[in-house]
Amino acid sequence: MINYIYNIPLAIGSNVINLFAHIGKISIFFYEIIFCTFTLPLYFKTFFNQVIKIGYNSLPVIGLTAFFTGSVLALQIYVGSSRFNAESIVASIVALGITRELGPVIAGLMLAGRVSASISAEIATMKVTEQLDALTTLSTNPIRYLVVPRVLAALLTLPILVLIADIIGIMGGFVVGTQSLGFIEQSYIKNTFDIIQLNDVISGLIKAAVFGFIVAFMGCYHGYNSTGGAQGVGRSTTKAVVSASILILASNYILTSLVFNS
Amino acid sequence: MTDLILKIEKLHKSFGEKVILNDFNINITRNTSQVIIGGSGTGKSVLLKCILGLIEPEQGIISYNNTPLNRDTRKEINFYDEIGMLFQGAALFDSLTVWENITFAIKSKRKSDLREIALDKIHKVGLDSTVLDLYPSELSGGMQKRVALARAIAKDPQLLFFDEPTTGLDPIMADVINNLINEIIDQVGATAITITHDMESAKKIADKISMLYKGSIIWSGDPGEIECSNNPYVDQFINGRSEGPIKINIKD
């Protein structure tokens, strides 16, 4: 019984210390990324390679996801709106839903699954095989060489991916709306363009940039701090995907609240 | 300039309650090949990582050419431009070709010049130009070690570090690597620090051998003296006996 009394505060204390140590590590990692981003040298070749890997290679996955999301959204909105005889709002809701919310969130989550995991596994494997140490002994800062190009590439390419996803998602809604739900093409297009404002698209792109940063940051952070051999690589990959996904959803709420308030 | 290239005084490093290096002292003379032997878990790799700045020791001073090393001074004196390191597992970059790996640390040169340098270094380690455009995954373990050796000497370093250079190699390839290390030390004119538990390798490449046990140097001498060191720890280690003063903790 006495042991339990001692163990409870001990467990709470050690968890609190771990939490603060973790926050401290993340803050230092963040600071080092910012410092290396704004100081020379920048590794442009690595950056462009990452733009291809993170951006271009993610296009098919994100395009397909966006298409089916737009299609399903059109069907669901049609079912709901027909209960109020308001079927004409399908095109508007699909356009707003995709540009403001689903485009960036779905693309962010897909990128978290695809890119965060791959970045984390790659960097963790490099750590296990002493390649990170080798970089240091070859006068190269691993954060500058490995992390900064990945973070910048994800931050800059996700907005472009989301813009494409927006277009494909709306097209998905258009295809289902006109081919399956009986909407006239011209009126569907007119309803779409009448409702969309520049702010809707821009707010989605700002979200995308934040999500891109989160995806690459979490992948790099967990990979960089991986410990324990092959098992550690697996653990860090899982942590990267889970933490990136949760942070995307949480930051989505915060960003949406800020946009509402403004 | 004194004859000492590296001086380590009262180095201490622990992980949690486990003490790895305890009051570690050593002086390394220029143009010598110093080998540090010791069993698994005695702190050999931690020592190398402390010297290279990959791990921060809690206490002690590591001086390179009379300059105490820390994060700032390593940058100021361009420490990493003056050293070369051969990692235990080669640690070649998977995404780069052999020539890109070898010339990785050389900046501000044209591609054709870099390939020339890579070709020169690859010849020094006994390979030919056919491997230059291969990726590390296309090479055997022995070839990877040679490429890593070529990368370590790419900038003609003053100080070379070898971490278990023969681990994972068959005896013939291990002997080839040992010979290469000797040739390269002579060619480059560098000081070498090797950590190993391979006694054949140690005897072959060392000018001076030191034995590390429980975080401190317990014996130092020439390779010829080690057989008659009269030190029971050294005697047990070099003869590979399980009975003796060195007790193996299964948990370690």
Side-chain angles (χ1 to χ4, degrees):
Chain A
M1 186 64 190
I2 299 266
N3 272 350
Y4 280 115
I5 292 168
Y6 282 122
N7 284 343
I8 291 169
L10 198 69
I12 294 170
S14 70
N15 279 326
V16 169
I17 289 170
N18 281 343
L19 178 70
F20 280 104
H22 209 59
I23 291 170
K25 268 169 87 174
I26 289 178
S27 306
I28 292 168
F29 196 70
F30 179 78
Y31 165 77
E32 287 195 44
I33 292 174
I34 299 296
F35 177 78
C36 291
T37 303
F38 293 104
T39 52
L40 292 172
L42 289 172
Y43 292 92
F44 287 107
K45 192 182 166 194
T46 321
F47 168 72
F48 288 120
N49 284 342
Q50 290 305 319
V51 167
I52 300 293
K53 265 189 182 177
I54 295 173
Y56 182 74
N57 291 351
S58 299
L59 202 51
V61 178
I62 287 178
L64 268 177
T65 316
F67 182 83
F68 288 117
T69 304
S71 309
V72 169
L73 194 60
L75 285 175
Q76 294 284 22
I77 298 298
Y78 182 79
V79 172
S81 59
S82 62
R83 290 174 191 165
F84 309 100
N85 295 321
E87 292 89 342
S88 59
I89 64 164
V90 168
S92 314
I93 301 283
V94 167
L96 282 180
I98 290 285
T99 52
R100 291 184 71 97
E101 200 58 49
L102 289 171
V105 172
I106 296 287
L109 290 176
M110 291 308 292
L111 210 70
R114 189 185 168 277
V115 172
S116 215
S118 113
I119 289 176
S120 177
E122 188 180 359
I123 295 180
T125 305
M126 288 184 78
K127 188 174 185 190
V128 169
T129 53
E130 294 184 304
Q131 291 178 53
L132 296 189
D133 289 344
L135 279 173
T136 304
T137 63
L138 293 165
S139 317
T140 304
N141 181 338
I143 290 187
R144 197 183 286 284
Y145 180 71
L146 291 172
V147 177
V148 171
R150 284 163 174 76
V151 170
L152 284 182
L155 190 144
L156 295 175
T157 55
L158 192 55
I160 297 167
L161 284 173
V162 165
L163 195 61
I164 296 167
D166 286 349
I167 295 165
I168 295 174
I170 291 170
M171 274 171 55
F174 171 80
V175 170
V176 170
T178 54
Q179 302 303 313
S180 160
L181 303 175
F183 286 99
I184 298 162
E185 282 100 346
Q186 286 82 356
S187 72
Y188 192 98
I189 293 169
K190 185 179 180 303
N191 284 346
T192 300
F193 281 106
D194 281 351
I195 197 76
I196 289 184
Q197 294 175 0
L198 189 62
N199 272 349
D200 299 323
V201 179
I202 288 174
S203 70
L205 298 186
I206 291 170
K207 280 183 180 181
V210 174
F211 297 165
F213 178 81
I214 289 170
V215 163
F217 184 86
M218 282 295 124
C220 292
Y221 174 75
H222 288 291
Y224 205 83
N225 290 290
S226 163
T227 51
Q231 267 194 331
V233 175
R235 261 199 312 272
S236 69
T237 307
T238 309
K239 278 184 193 170
V241 176
V242 171
S243 57
S245 305
I246 290 171
L247 280 175
I248 284 171
L249 295 172
S251 63
N252 181 44
Y253 174 75
I254 295 166
L255 290 169
T256 308
S257 308
L258 288 174
V259 171
F260 263 119
N261 288 337
S262 63
Chain B
M1 198 177 278
T2 65
D3 234 18
L4 283 185
I5 190 165
L6 196 76
K7 183 175 184 177
I8 301 175
E9 296 166 277
K10 297 186 175 177
L11 199 68
H12 186 94
K13 178 69 193 172
S14 55
F15 293 105
E17 289 178 1
K18 188 167 183 177
V19 177
I20 306 295
L21 294 173
N22 186 20
D23 197 24
F24 179 93
N25 298 283
I26 198 167
N27 292 331
I28 314 267
T29 316
R30 200 176 302 281
N31 296 329
T32 56
S33 175
Q34 167 77 55
V35 173
I36 297 169
I37 58 168
S40 304
T42 50
K44 301 188 302 293
S45 294
V46 172
L47 170 66
L48 268 197
K49 287 186 175 180
C50 285
I51 299 171
L52 293 168
L54 303 170
I55 293 177
E56 281 296 315
E58 282 124 16
Q59 288 170 33
I61 300 169
I62 302 169
S63 304
Y64 171 72
N65 284 334
N66 292 325
T67 305
L69 294 177
N70 57 42
R71 198 173 166 168
D72 294 331
T73 55
R74 279 190 182 90
K75 271 186 194 166
E76 281 166 21
I77 63 171
N78 294 325
F79 177 70
Y80 294 116
D81 289 339
E82 298 190 4
I83 63 147
M85 167 80 184
L86 173 65
F87 285 87
Q88 187 175 346
L92 296 173
F93 304 124
D94 304 321
S95 57
L96 303 181
T97 59
V98 165
W99 78 265
E100 287 170 328
N101 262 286
I102 293 171
T103 56
F104 185 86
I106 302 170
K107 313 273 192 272
S108 319
K109 293 241 183 194
R110 286 181 306 168
K111 188 179 168 182
S112 56
D113 294 337
L114 291 175
R115 279 188 73 96
E116 278 299 312
I117 294 170
L119 191 62
D120 175 46
K121 303 301 174 190
I122 211 79
H123 282 149
K124 280 192 172 152
V125 296
L127 294 172
D128 59 38
S129 60
T130 54
V131 300
L132 283 182
D133 292 309
L134 298 178
Y135 285 90
S137 59
E138 298 171 291
L139 305 174
S140 68
M143 286 165 94
Q144 286 187 13
K145 274 267 162 84
R146 289 184 193 215
V147 173
L149 195 53
R151 184 177 69 179
I153 58 166
K155 290 207 288 186
D156 299 325
Q158 289 192 25
L159 189 53
L160 276 164
F161 296 93
F162 301 107
D163 183 3
E164 309 274 10
T166 55
T167 297
L169 300 177
D170 65 74
I172 297 169
M173 184 52 74
D175 197 51
V176 170
I177 294 290
N178 288 332
N179 289 335
L180 268 176
I181 288 173
N182 280 335
E183 284 170 23
I184 279 165
I185 292 169
D186 290 342
Q187 283 172 14
V188 179
T191 308
I193 300 172
T194 307
I195 58 167
T196 185
H197 45 61
D198 177 354
M199 281 315 300
E200 288 301 316
S201 174
K203 284 177 198 167
K204 189 146 196 174
I205 62 179
D207 293 325
K208 190 177 176 188
I209 299 179
S210 300
M211 177 154 169
L212 185 62
Y213 180 66
K214 288 196 171 172
S216 305
I217 296 287
I218 56 163
W219 181 87
S220 283
D222 295 337
E225 298 170 351
I226 199 163
E227 298 287 353
C228 46
S229 68
N230 289 329
N231 183 314
Y233 292 91
V234 175
D235 190 51
Q236 183 190 353
F237 184 79
I238 64 172
N239 291 302
R241 287 196 307 268
S242 58
E243 295 86 18
I246 303 174
K247 303 293 178 201
I248 302 294
N249 187 348
I250 301 297
K251 284 179 187 170
D252 291 342

